[in-house]
Amino acid sequence: VLGLLSLPFGVFAPFAIWAGTRSLGRIRASDGELRGASRALAGLLGGVIGLSTFLAGIAYWLLAS
Amino acid sequence: VIARVLLIALVVVVAVATYPGTLIESAIVKLSSPRADRSQVSPGLLWLHVEHPGQGVPYIADEQGRSVLLHGAIPASLLEFGASAAAQPGAPIYPLDPAAYDGKCPDAVSAGRYPPLCQADLVQMAAMGFNSVRLPLVWSLLEPQRGRFNQVYVDRIAQVVDWARALGLYVIIDMHQNAYSAFVGAGPGVDLTYNSGAPAWATITDGLPSRELVQGKREANPAVVEAFNNFWYNRDGIQAEYIQAIAYLARRFLDDSAVAGFSVFNEPQPGWNLPPGFEDLLLFPFYRRVIDAITGVGDGLPCWTAFFMPAPCCYPDQGIHDLHHLVFLDTGLAREITDFPTHLGLPLSSYANVVLSIHAYTHIYTFDALAGQTLENATYPWGGYDQSYSLAEREAKAMNAALFVAEFGDSPSQDSLILANQLLEQERHQTGFAFWTWKEKGSGGWGMFDSQTGCLRVARERLLARVYPVASGDANLTYHYDSDTGAFTLSARGSAGQPATFVLIPPEVKGSSAALGAVTATTETRPDGSRMVTAAPSGGDFSITVALAPLVLAGCG
């Protein structure tokens, strides 16, 4: 959810990356006890895209204005 | 594996529809060469366009490439504002039939907040040295029934354009609204007198109550907010219908150079959305679709137009191919409150003639005023009056747009501070302006004319009847007019054969004009008593001055 939210609202992106990374780590360390790797990966991906876009947008404003 | 693919596909789809897609779309626009048609030469008023200098801020220019400053006022008489709005919302106050204004002027009625707009008004505007008029009109009178446009209303607009053309004034056709619509419904504290905009069929409030949550703020109404929201999400295709309405106007005025351009949406409210997402993902993509429809430049992805159109969606070419007119784009309403950019300044269209319009209401609608601070003790904006202008210049540059103050005004009691400072900033940043409002009846009115006596307010005449360069071959010129002394100085540079600079001196200003340096200047006195200095550069620096002399003001009060 955080990953998807970070696409229209870049401010959520760092939280999505943090939550996605942490969840993936815990899932991998659980030896199959915890599930949801796909959702964690999607959240992480959304967070990374959201953060990249957010930074690119800010960079554009600073450079072009 | 299927779940993983579906999840990633979901992320990609949401990404395309939101900021990542918008950023890619803007990058494509930025890399495209600006498109417009500058081949057509007008026999009447020169076509205006937006000139894009290499590193500087784009500016409004004429066919000869001279920077043009538009000075004008805003008559609100073609809106449906009126005391009878609650009983009969959306009904016009004054006759729409142009025949009612041929050589005559209807009497002002008590139900109307604004007197009727007649030919004499435009003559008065021209006599004050104005070269433009921002003409607000309203969707509910233009398209009272879905898909059926009111030809009589369009004829009335055309009549005003005809009057303006004859006087050498440009018209900015302004799709106006205030608190979305007069059809949001009556309710506790709601005064529909000043609501205007969408017709009843395009006002979707989803049953939310119409009530004023903050006293005196007609926008703080759940029904209004919901109606705006439904517009931005194209509920029931109403946004697409609005685009069709503008396309209808663009088709009608396609070859008319007296129409400077179209102002797409007045003071857009965000609905339930927050900046910067509102501006970047809803408002500016909507503007791009309007531009797509009337110019055919076709930025963005083809989408179904009857449903919510995500940010990268373009709009089908309506076959008008209007590649001449300026398109004035108001920033979101939140910018008016913050005097600060509420968007990322992403380029939105490859159409060259885009103008970013700000509404400059520092200390009137900004945070400080909303918090109840007085003008003398205001703690915001931190950058003073200049904050809004300096940042707007940066916004316009980032968006590949020219800058224009599409609305500013104040209570007459605050002219010496607010109006004087706003005009000073406009000079400093070389932006044109449209003053709200031309004439207004009743107490507390902001009109240029006294609401009781009908007399031109002398303080406003002093400030607004200004000496200014209406057109100049040097976009980097500097100038200053002192409204206390009537003195004016302009410094510019030009090579031999470059287009001349024109400086307008209104009849109120009596000081003698002079030209110094590398220039040949002539001064023509016009029938209304104003003077036009034509300064043809001969290569090098030059200046034009008007000597200080007491102003001769026709107003009173």
Side-chain angles (χ1 to χ4, degrees), chain B residues 219-252:
Chain B
E219 294 87 359
N221 177 336
V224 169
V225 176
E226 182 69 5
F228 267 110
N229 212 58
N230 282 320
F231 180 85
W232 302 124
Y233 287 95
N234 194 27
R235 177 91 171 271
D236 198 21
I238 53 175
Q239 187 184 109
E241 280 292 345
Y242 188 90
I243 294 172
Q244 293 292 337
I246 296 181
Y248 185 82
L249 291 171
R251 194 171 279 114
R252 169 69 186 254

PDB file of all heavy atoms in Angstrom, chain B residues 219-252:
ATOM      1  N   GLU B 219     -16.095  29.194  -0.817  1.00  0.00           N
ATOM      2  CA  GLU B 219     -15.446  27.970  -1.304  1.00  0.00           C
ATOM      3  C   GLU B 219     -15.449  26.865  -0.253  1.00  0.00           C
ATOM      4  O   GLU B 219     -15.361  25.686  -0.593  1.00  0.00           O
ATOM      5  CB  GLU B 219     -13.994  28.259  -1.716  1.00  0.00           C
ATOM      6  CG  GLU B 219     -13.848  29.193  -2.914  1.00  0.00           C
ATOM      7  CD  GLU B 219     -13.839  30.663  -2.520  1.00  0.00           C
ATOM      8  OE1 GLU B 219     -13.963  30.962  -1.307  1.00  0.00           O
ATOM      9  OE2 GLU B 219     -13.723  31.520  -3.426  1.00  0.00           O
ATOM     10  N   ALA B 220     -15.502  27.237   1.030  1.00  0.00           N
ATOM     11  CA  ALA B 220     -15.470  26.239   2.107  1.00  0.00           C
ATOM     12  C   ALA B 220     -16.861  25.662   2.319  1.00  0.00           C
ATOM     13  O   ALA B 220     -17.523  25.880   3.330  1.00  0.00           O
ATOM     14  CB  ALA B 220     -14.942  26.888   3.385  1.00  0.00           C
ATOM     15  N   ASN B 221     -17.310  24.933   1.322  1.00  0.00           N
ATOM     16  CA  ASN B 221     -18.662  24.380   1.300  1.00  0.00           C
ATOM     17  C   ASN B 221     -18.552  22.941   0.778  1.00  0.00           C
ATOM     18  O   ASN B 221     -18.032  22.727  -0.328  1.00  0.00           O
ATOM     19  CB  ASN B 221     -19.508  25.264   0.358  1.00  0.00           C
ATOM     20  CG  ASN B 221     -20.921  24.762   0.179  1.00  0.00           C
ATOM     21  OD1 ASN B 221     -21.214  23.572   0.355  1.00  0.00           O
ATOM     22  ND2 ASN B 221     -21.822  25.654  -0.194  1.00  0.00           N
ATOM     23  N   PRO B 222     -18.975  21.934   1.550  1.00  0.00           N
ATOM     24  CA  PRO B 222     -18.805  20.545   1.108  1.00  0.00           C
ATOM     25  C   PRO B 222     -19.373  20.281  -0.288  1.00  0.00           C
ATOM     26  O   PRO B 222     -18.774  19.526  -1.067  1.00  0.00           O
ATOM     27  CB  PRO B 222     -19.574  19.744   2.165  1.00  0.00           C
ATOM     28  CG  PRO B 222     -19.598  20.615   3.364  1.00  0.00           C
ATOM     29  CD  PRO B 222     -19.626  22.021   2.867  1.00  0.00           C
ATOM     30  N   ALA B 223     -20.502  20.899  -0.600  1.00  0.00           N
ATOM     31  CA  ALA B 223     -21.097  20.683  -1.928  1.00  0.00           C
ATOM     32  C   ALA B 223     -20.196  21.255  -3.025  1.00  0.00           C
ATOM     33  O   ALA B 223     -20.034  20.650  -4.099  1.00  0.00           O
ATOM     34  CB  ALA B 223     -22.484  21.319  -1.992  1.00  0.00           C
ATOM     35  N   VAL B 224     -19.593  22.394  -2.746  1.00  0.00           N
ATOM     36  CA  VAL B 224     -18.689  23.017  -3.722  1.00  0.00           C
ATOM     37  C   VAL B 224     -17.449  22.145  -3.913  1.00  0.00           C
ATOM     38  O   VAL B 224     -17.018  21.873  -5.047  1.00  0.00           O
ATOM     39  CB  VAL B 224     -18.283  24.441  -3.245  1.00  0.00           C
ATOM     40  CG1 VAL B 224     -17.139  24.994  -4.082  1.00  0.00           C
ATOM     41  CG2 VAL B 224     -19.481  25.371  -3.291  1.00  0.00           C
ATOM     42  N   VAL B 225     -16.892  21.671  -2.798  1.00  0.00           N
ATOM     43  CA  VAL B 225     -15.675  20.857  -2.868  1.00  0.00           C
ATOM     44  C   VAL B 225     -15.946  19.567  -3.644  1.00  0.00           C
ATOM     45  O   VAL B 225     -15.154  19.157  -4.509  1.00  0.00           O
ATOM     46  CB  VAL B 225     -15.158  20.549  -1.441  1.00  0.00           C
ATOM     47  CG1 VAL B 225     -13.957  19.616  -1.490  1.00  0.00           C
ATOM     48  CG2 VAL B 225     -14.790  21.839  -0.717  1.00  0.00           C
ATOM     49  N   GLU B 226     -17.075  18.943  -3.376  1.00  0.00           N
ATOM     50  CA  GLU B 226     -17.414  17.692  -4.065  1.00  0.00           C
ATOM     51  C   GLU B 226     -17.641  17.935  -5.568  1.00  0.00           C
ATOM     52  O   GLU B 226     -17.232  17.132  -6.410  1.00  0.00           O
ATOM     53  CB  GLU B 226     -18.666  17.079  -3.431  1.00  0.00           C
ATOM     54  CG  GLU B 226     -19.097  15.745  -4.015  1.00  0.00           C
ATOM     55  CD  GLU B 226     -18.139  14.598  -3.699  1.00  0.00           C
ATOM     56  OE1 GLU B 226     -17.179  14.810  -2.945  1.00  0.00           O
ATOM     57  OE2 GLU B 226     -18.358  13.490  -4.227  1.00  0.00           O
ATOM     58  N   ALA B 227     -18.292  19.050  -5.877  1.00  0.00           N
ATOM     59  CA  ALA B 227     -18.538  19.362  -7.292  1.00  0.00           C
ATOM     60  C   ALA B 227     -17.229  19.566  -8.041  1.00  0.00           C
ATOM     61  O   ALA B 227     -17.059  19.077  -9.173  1.00  0.00           O
ATOM     62  CB  ALA B 227     -19.413  20.607  -7.393  1.00  0.00           C
ATOM     63  N   PHE B 228     -16.287  20.273  -7.413  1.00  0.00           N
ATOM     64  CA  PHE B 228     -14.968  20.440  -8.029  1.00  0.00           C
ATOM     65  C   PHE B 228     -14.303  19.079  -8.232  1.00  0.00           C
ATOM     66  O   PHE B 228     -13.741  18.794  -9.289  1.00  0.00           O
ATOM     67  CB  PHE B 228     -14.056  21.307  -7.150  1.00  0.00           C
ATOM     68  CG  PHE B 228     -14.084  22.763  -7.500  1.00  0.00           C
ATOM     69  CD1 PHE B 228     -14.674  23.678  -6.660  1.00  0.00           C
ATOM     70  CD2 PHE B 228     -13.513  23.225  -8.673  1.00  0.00           C
ATOM     71  CE1 PHE B 228     -14.700  25.028  -6.973  1.00  0.00           C
ATOM     72  CE2 PHE B 228     -13.532  24.569  -9.001  1.00  0.00           C
ATOM     73  CZ  PHE B 228     -14.137  25.467  -8.148  1.00  0.00           C
ATOM     74  N   ASN B 229     -14.354  18.269  -7.182  1.00  0.00           N
ATOM     75  CA  ASN B 229     -13.712  16.962  -7.247  1.00  0.00           C
ATOM     76  C   ASN B 229     -14.236  16.151  -8.430  1.00  0.00           C
ATOM     77  O   ASN B 229     -13.476  15.533  -9.181  1.00  0.00           O
ATOM     78  CB  ASN B 229     -13.983  16.217  -5.941  1.00  0.00           C
ATOM     79  CG  ASN B 229     -12.848  15.318  -5.562  1.00  0.00           C
ATOM     80  OD1 ASN B 229     -11.732  15.789  -5.408  1.00  0.00           O
ATOM     81  ND2 ASN B 229     -13.111  14.041  -5.450  1.00  0.00           N
ATOM     82  N   ASN B 230     -15.538  16.165  -8.589  1.00  0.00           N
ATOM     83  CA  ASN B 230     -16.146  15.400  -9.682  1.00  0.00           C
ATOM     84  C   ASN B 230     -15.737  15.955 -11.045  1.00  0.00           C
ATOM     85  O   ASN B 230     -15.633  15.207 -12.020  1.00  0.00           O
ATOM     86  CB  ASN B 230     -17.667  15.394  -9.538  1.00  0.00           C
ATOM     87  CG  ASN B 230     -18.105  14.414  -8.480  1.00  0.00           C
ATOM     88  OD1 ASN B 230     -17.553  13.310  -8.378  1.00  0.00           O
ATOM     89  ND2 ASN B 230     -19.078  14.785  -7.661  1.00  0.00           N
ATOM     90  N   PHE B 231     -15.494  17.258 -11.094  1.00  0.00           N
ATOM     91  CA  PHE B 231     -15.028  17.840 -12.353  1.00  0.00           C
ATOM     92  C   PHE B 231     -13.627  17.331 -12.685  1.00  0.00           C
ATOM     93  O   PHE B 231     -13.363  16.901 -13.815  1.00  0.00           O
ATOM     94  CB  PHE B 231     -15.029  19.365 -12.261  1.00  0.00           C
ATOM     95  CG  PHE B 231     -14.565  20.031 -13.535  1.00  0.00           C
ATOM     96  CD1 PHE B 231     -15.455  20.276 -14.571  1.00  0.00           C
ATOM     97  CD2 PHE B 231     -13.240  20.386 -13.716  1.00  0.00           C
ATOM     98  CE1 PHE B 231     -15.030  20.870 -15.762  1.00  0.00           C
ATOM     99  CE2 PHE B 231     -12.797  20.978 -14.889  1.00  0.00           C
ATOM    100  CZ  PHE B 231     -13.703  21.219 -15.920  1.00  0.00           C
ATOM    101  N   TRP B 232     -12.732  17.354 -11.702  1.00  0.00           N
ATOM    102  CA  TRP B 232     -11.344  16.945 -11.989  1.00  0.00           C
ATOM    103  C   TRP B 232     -11.264  15.465 -12.363  1.00  0.00           C
ATOM    104  O   TRP B 232     -10.386  15.069 -13.121  1.00  0.00           O
ATOM    105  CB  TRP B 232     -10.424  17.239 -10.799  1.00  0.00           C
ATOM    106  CG  TRP B 232     -10.427  18.688 -10.418  1.00  0.00           C
ATOM    107  CD1 TRP B 232     -10.717  19.222  -9.186  1.00  0.00           C
ATOM    108  CD2 TRP B 232     -10.188  19.815 -11.270  1.00  0.00           C
ATOM    109  NE1 TRP B 232     -10.659  20.599  -9.234  1.00  0.00           N
ATOM    110  CE2 TRP B 232     -10.338  20.987 -10.494  1.00  0.00           C
ATOM    111  CE3 TRP B 232      -9.852  19.956 -12.620  1.00  0.00           C
ATOM    112  CZ2 TRP B 232     -10.164  22.272 -11.014  1.00  0.00           C
ATOM    113  CZ3 TRP B 232      -9.687  21.239 -13.149  1.00  0.00           C
ATOM    114  CH2 TRP B 232      -9.844  22.369 -12.354  1.00  0.00           C
ATOM    115  N   TYR B 233     -12.186  14.659 -11.821  1.00  0.00           N
ATOM    116  CA  TYR B 233     -12.162  13.235 -12.151  1.00  0.00           C
ATOM    117  C   TYR B 233     -13.093  12.915 -13.333  1.00  0.00           C
ATOM    118  O   TYR B 233     -13.393  11.755 -13.584  1.00  0.00           O
ATOM    119  CB  TYR B 233     -12.498  12.407 -10.905  1.00  0.00           C
ATOM    120  CG  TYR B 233     -11.347  12.412  -9.914  1.00  0.00           C
ATOM    121  CD1 TYR B 233     -11.311  13.323  -8.865  1.00  0.00           C
ATOM    122  CD2 TYR B 233     -10.260  11.559 -10.067  1.00  0.00           C
ATOM    123  CE1 TYR B 233     -10.241  13.365  -7.974  1.00  0.00           C
ATOM    124  CE2 TYR B 233      -9.190  11.589  -9.186  1.00  0.00           C
ATOM    125  CZ  TYR B 233      -9.180  12.494  -8.143  1.00  0.00           C
ATOM    126  OH  TYR B 233      -8.109  12.534  -7.277  1.00  0.00           O
ATOM    127  N   ASN B 234     -13.568  13.952 -13.989  1.00  0.00           N
ATOM    128  CA  ASN B 234     -14.356  13.786 -15.212  1.00  0.00           C
ATOM    129  C   ASN B 234     -15.575  12.894 -14.988  1.00  0.00           C
ATOM    130  O   ASN B 234     -15.915  12.067 -15.838  1.00  0.00           O
ATOM    131  CB  ASN B 234     -13.490  13.214 -16.345  1.00  0.00           C
ATOM    132  CG  ASN B 234     -14.152  13.328 -17.708  1.00  0.00           C
ATOM    133  OD1 ASN B 234     -14.976  14.211 -17.925  1.00  0.00           O
ATOM    134  ND2 ASN B 234     -13.808  12.419 -18.617  1.00  0.00           N
ATOM    135  N   ARG B 235     -16.207  13.062 -13.879  1.00  0.00           N
ATOM    136  CA  ARG B 235     -17.396  12.289 -13.558  1.00  0.00           C
ATOM    137  C   ARG B 235     -18.474  12.574 -14.606  1.00  0.00           C
ATOM    138  O   ARG B 235     -18.731  13.718 -14.944  1.00  0.00           O
ATOM    139  CB  ARG B 235     -17.863  12.702 -12.148  1.00  0.00           C
ATOM    140  CG  ARG B 235     -19.114  12.059 -11.684  1.00  0.00           C
ATOM    141  CD  ARG B 235     -18.858  10.772 -10.918  1.00  0.00           C
ATOM    142  NE  ARG B 235     -20.107  10.349 -10.338  1.00  0.00           N
ATOM    143  CZ  ARG B 235     -20.528  10.737  -9.146  1.00  0.00           C
ATOM    144  NH1 ARG B 235     -19.758  11.497  -8.386  1.00  0.00           N
ATOM    145  NH2 ARG B 235     -21.697  10.343  -8.689  1.00  0.00           N
ATOM    146  N   ASP B 236     -19.048  11.552 -15.121  1.00  0.00           N
ATOM    147  CA  ASP B 236     -20.111  11.671 -16.120  1.00  0.00           C
ATOM    148  C   ASP B 236     -19.644  12.468 -17.355  1.00  0.00           C
ATOM    149  O   ASP B 236     -20.455  13.058 -18.066  1.00  0.00           O
ATOM    150  CB  ASP B 236     -21.338  12.341 -15.491  1.00  0.00           C
ATOM    151  CG  ASP B 236     -22.599  12.099 -16.308  1.00  0.00           C
ATOM    152  OD1 ASP B 236     -22.624  11.129 -17.090  1.00  0.00           O
ATOM    153  OD2 ASP B 236     -23.547  12.904 -16.202  1.00  0.00           O
ATOM    154  N   GLY B 237     -18.340  12.507 -17.566  1.00  0.00           N
ATOM    155  CA  GLY B 237     -17.804  13.184 -18.759  1.00  0.00           C
ATOM    156  C   GLY B 237     -17.913  14.694 -18.738  1.00  0.00           C
ATOM    157  O   GLY B 237     -17.809  15.344 -19.785  1.00  0.00           O
ATOM    158  N   ILE B 238     -18.080  15.302 -17.534  1.00  0.00           N
ATOM    159  CA  ILE B 238     -18.309  16.758 -17.515  1.00  0.00           C
ATOM    160  C   ILE B 238     -17.045  17.547 -17.881  1.00  0.00           C
ATOM    161  O   ILE B 238     -17.137  18.615 -18.484  1.00  0.00           O
ATOM    162  CB  ILE B 238     -18.888  17.246 -16.162  1.00  0.00           C
ATOM    163  CG1 ILE B 238     -18.033  16.793 -14.979  1.00  0.00           C
ATOM    164  CG2 ILE B 238     -20.323  16.809 -16.009  1.00  0.00           C
ATOM    165  CD1 ILE B 238     -18.511  17.357 -13.646  1.00  0.00           C
ATOM    166  N   GLN B 239     -15.870  17.017 -17.525  1.00  0.00           N
ATOM    167  CA  GLN B 239     -14.645  17.721 -17.922  1.00  0.00           C
ATOM    168  C   GLN B 239     -14.500  17.724 -19.449  1.00  0.00           C
ATOM    169  O   GLN B 239     -14.103  18.722 -20.054  1.00  0.00           O
ATOM    170  CB  GLN B 239     -13.410  17.075 -17.286  1.00  0.00           C
ATOM    171  CG  GLN B 239     -12.153  17.855 -17.534  1.00  0.00           C
ATOM    172  CD  GLN B 239     -10.917  17.149 -16.987  1.00  0.00           C
ATOM    173  OE1 GLN B 239     -10.103  16.644 -17.746  1.00  0.00           O
ATOM    174  NE2 GLN B 239     -10.771  17.093 -15.671  1.00  0.00           N
ATOM    175  N   ALA B 240     -14.844  16.595 -20.049  1.00  0.00           N
ATOM    176  CA  ALA B 240     -14.775  16.512 -21.509  1.00  0.00           C
ATOM    177  C   ALA B 240     -15.752  17.508 -22.145  1.00  0.00           C
ATOM    178  O   ALA B 240     -15.450  18.135 -23.174  1.00  0.00           O
ATOM    179  CB  ALA B 240     -15.081  15.090 -21.967  1.00  0.00           C
ATOM    180  N   GLU B 241     -16.923  17.691 -21.520  1.00  0.00           N
ATOM    181  CA  GLU B 241     -17.899  18.660 -22.041  1.00  0.00           C
ATOM    182  C   GLU B 241     -17.352  20.082 -21.943  1.00  0.00           C
ATOM    183  O   GLU B 241     -17.571  20.910 -22.823  1.00  0.00           O
ATOM    184  CB  GLU B 241     -19.221  18.566 -21.263  1.00  0.00           C
ATOM    185  CG  GLU B 241     -20.111  17.413 -21.696  1.00  0.00           C
ATOM    186  CD  GLU B 241     -20.674  17.599 -23.101  1.00  0.00           C
ATOM    187  OE1 GLU B 241     -20.614  18.729 -23.632  1.00  0.00           O
ATOM    188  OE2 GLU B 241     -21.168  16.605 -23.667  1.00  0.00           O
ATOM    189  N   TYR B 242     -16.656  20.350 -20.850  1.00  0.00           N
ATOM    190  CA  TYR B 242     -16.054  21.681 -20.654  1.00  0.00           C
ATOM    191  C   TYR B 242     -15.029  21.959 -21.758  1.00  0.00           C
ATOM    192  O   TYR B 242     -14.964  23.056 -22.315  1.00  0.00           O
ATOM    193  CB  TYR B 242     -15.395  21.727 -19.277  1.00  0.00           C
ATOM    194  CG  TYR B 242     -14.886  23.073 -18.827  1.00  0.00           C
ATOM    195  CD1 TYR B 242     -15.707  23.937 -18.108  1.00  0.00           C
ATOM    196  CD2 TYR B 242     -13.573  23.472 -19.081  1.00  0.00           C
ATOM    197  CE1 TYR B 242     -15.236  25.164 -17.659  1.00  0.00           C
ATOM    198  CE2 TYR B 242     -13.094  24.696 -18.641  1.00  0.00           C
ATOM    199  CZ  TYR B 242     -13.927  25.543 -17.926  1.00  0.00           C
ATOM    200  OH  TYR B 242     -13.454  26.758 -17.495  1.00  0.00           O
ATOM    201  N   ILE B 243     -14.255  20.927 -22.052  1.00  0.00           N
ATOM    202  CA  ILE B 243     -13.251  21.072 -23.118  1.00  0.00           C
ATOM    203  C   ILE B 243     -13.960  21.358 -24.449  1.00  0.00           C
ATOM    204  O   ILE B 243     -13.511  22.197 -25.242  1.00  0.00           O
ATOM    205  CB  ILE B 243     -12.368  19.806 -23.191  1.00  0.00           C
ATOM    206  CG1 ILE B 243     -11.545  19.677 -21.904  1.00  0.00           C
ATOM    207  CG2 ILE B 243     -11.458  19.842 -24.418  1.00  0.00           C
ATOM    208  CD1 ILE B 243     -10.773  18.371 -21.770  1.00  0.00           C
ATOM    209  N   GLN B 244     -15.083  20.700 -24.660  1.00  0.00           N
ATOM    210  CA  GLN B 244     -15.862  20.954 -25.881  1.00  0.00           C
ATOM    211  C   GLN B 244     -16.364  22.400 -25.915  1.00  0.00           C
ATOM    212  O   GLN B 244     -16.428  23.023 -26.977  1.00  0.00           O
ATOM    213  CB  GLN B 244     -17.052  19.986 -25.957  1.00  0.00           C
ATOM    214  CG  GLN B 244     -16.668  18.532 -26.161  1.00  0.00           C
ATOM    215  CD  GLN B 244     -16.072  18.283 -27.548  1.00  0.00           C
ATOM    216  OE1 GLN B 244     -16.301  19.036 -28.482  1.00  0.00           O
ATOM    217  NE2 GLN B 244     -15.284  17.227 -27.671  1.00  0.00           N
ATOM    218  N   ALA B 245     -16.729  22.921 -24.750  1.00  0.00           N
ATOM    219  CA  ALA B 245     -17.230  24.309 -24.693  1.00  0.00           C
ATOM    220  C   ALA B 245     -16.120  25.289 -25.087  1.00  0.00           C
ATOM    221  O   ALA B 245     -16.354  26.247 -25.836  1.00  0.00           O
ATOM    222  CB  ALA B 245     -17.746  24.619 -23.295  1.00  0.00           C
ATOM    223  N   ILE B 246     -14.905  25.039 -24.594  1.00  0.00           N
ATOM    224  CA  ILE B 246     -13.789  25.919 -24.979  1.00  0.00           C
ATOM    225  C   ILE B 246     -13.472  25.747 -26.463  1.00  0.00           C
ATOM    226  O   ILE B 246     -13.181  26.720 -27.170  1.00  0.00           O
ATOM    227  CB  ILE B 246     -12.549  25.630 -24.107  1.00  0.00           C
ATOM    228  CG1 ILE B 246     -12.866  25.961 -22.646  1.00  0.00           C
ATOM    229  CG2 ILE B 246     -11.342  26.437 -24.585  1.00  0.00           C
ATOM    230  CD1 ILE B 246     -11.718  25.740 -21.696  1.00  0.00           C
ATOM    231  N   ALA B 247     -13.572  24.511 -26.939  1.00  0.00           N
ATOM    232  CA  ALA B 247     -13.332  24.261 -28.366  1.00  0.00           C
ATOM    233  C   ALA B 247     -14.343  25.034 -29.212  1.00  0.00           C
ATOM    234  O   ALA B 247     -14.007  25.554 -30.284  1.00  0.00           O
ATOM    235  CB  ALA B 247     -13.419  22.764 -28.651  1.00  0.00           C
ATOM    236  N   TYR B 248     -15.567  25.127 -28.717  1.00  0.00           N
ATOM    237  CA  TYR B 248     -16.615  25.871 -29.432  1.00  0.00           C
ATOM    238  C   TYR B 248     -16.210  27.347 -29.565  1.00  0.00           C
ATOM    239  O   TYR B 248     -16.331  27.954 -30.636  1.00  0.00           O
ATOM    240  CB  TYR B 248     -17.940  25.737 -28.673  1.00  0.00           C
ATOM    241  CG  TYR B 248     -19.117  26.359 -29.362  1.00  0.00           C
ATOM    242  CD1 TYR B 248     -19.798  25.682 -30.378  1.00  0.00           C
ATOM    243  CD2 TYR B 248     -19.564  27.633 -29.009  1.00  0.00           C
ATOM    244  CE1 TYR B 248     -20.888  26.268 -31.020  1.00  0.00           C
ATOM    245  CE2 TYR B 248     -20.645  28.219 -29.633  1.00  0.00           C
ATOM    246  CZ  TYR B 248     -21.298  27.531 -30.636  1.00  0.00           C
ATOM    247  OH  TYR B 248     -22.373  28.101 -31.271  1.00  0.00           O
ATOM    248  N   LEU B 249     -15.705  27.904 -28.469  1.00  0.00           N
ATOM    249  CA  LEU B 249     -15.271  29.308 -28.502  1.00  0.00           C
ATOM    250  C   LEU B 249     -14.059  29.474 -29.419  1.00  0.00           C
ATOM    251  O   LEU B 249     -13.964  30.441 -30.182  1.00  0.00           O
ATOM    252  CB  LEU B 249     -14.906  29.780 -27.090  1.00  0.00           C
ATOM    253  CG  LEU B 249     -16.060  29.926 -26.105  1.00  0.00           C
ATOM    254  CD1 LEU B 249     -15.527  30.171 -24.701  1.00  0.00           C
ATOM    255  CD2 LEU B 249     -16.985  31.065 -26.525  1.00  0.00           C
ATOM    256  N   ALA B 250     -13.133  28.525 -29.321  1.00  0.00           N
ATOM    257  CA  ALA B 250     -11.914  28.619 -30.142  1.00  0.00           C
ATOM    258  C   ALA B 250     -12.263  28.584 -31.633  1.00  0.00           C
ATOM    259  O   ALA B 250     -11.658  29.288 -32.444  1.00  0.00           O
ATOM    260  CB  ALA B 250     -10.967  27.483 -29.788  1.00  0.00           C
ATOM    261  N   ARG B 251     -13.255  27.759 -31.968  1.00  0.00           N
ATOM    262  CA  ARG B 251     -13.677  27.671 -33.375  1.00  0.00           C
ATOM    263  C   ARG B 251     -14.263  29.004 -33.823  1.00  0.00           C
ATOM    264  O   ARG B 251     -13.988  29.492 -34.906  1.00  0.00           O
ATOM    265  CB  ARG B 251     -14.702  26.538 -33.521  1.00  0.00           C
ATOM    266  CG  ARG B 251     -14.965  26.119 -34.951  1.00  0.00           C
ATOM    267  CD  ARG B 251     -15.818  24.870 -35.026  1.00  0.00           C
ATOM    268  NE  ARG B 251     -15.059  23.649 -34.824  1.00  0.00           N
ATOM    269  CZ  ARG B 251     -15.209  22.823 -33.788  1.00  0.00           C
ATOM    270  NH1 ARG B 251     -16.093  23.100 -32.854  1.00  0.00           N
ATOM    271  NH2 ARG B 251     -14.482  21.737 -33.684  1.00  0.00           N
ATOM    272  N   ARG B 252     -15.075  29.612 -32.951  1.00  0.00           N
ATOM    273  CA  ARG B 252     -15.738  30.868 -33.288  1.00  0.00           C
ATOM    274  C   ARG B 252     -14.726  32.014 -33.500  1.00  0.00           C
ATOM    275  O   ARG B 252     -14.883  32.846 -34.379  1.00  0.00           O
ATOM    276  CB  ARG B 252     -16.737  31.233 -32.180  1.00  0.00           C
ATOM    277  CG  ARG B 252     -17.316  32.641 -32.254  1.00  0.00           C
ATOM    278  CD  ARG B 252     -18.250  32.807 -33.453  1.00  0.00           C
ATOM    279  NE  ARG B 252     -18.698  34.174 -33.606  1.00  0.00           N
ATOM    280  CZ  ARG B 252     -19.930  34.587 -33.303  1.00  0.00           C
ATOM    281  NH1 ARG B 252     -20.813  33.729 -32.876  1.00  0.00           N
ATOM    282  NH2 ARG B 252     -20.259  35.859 -33.465  1.00  0.00           N
TER     283      ARG B 252
END
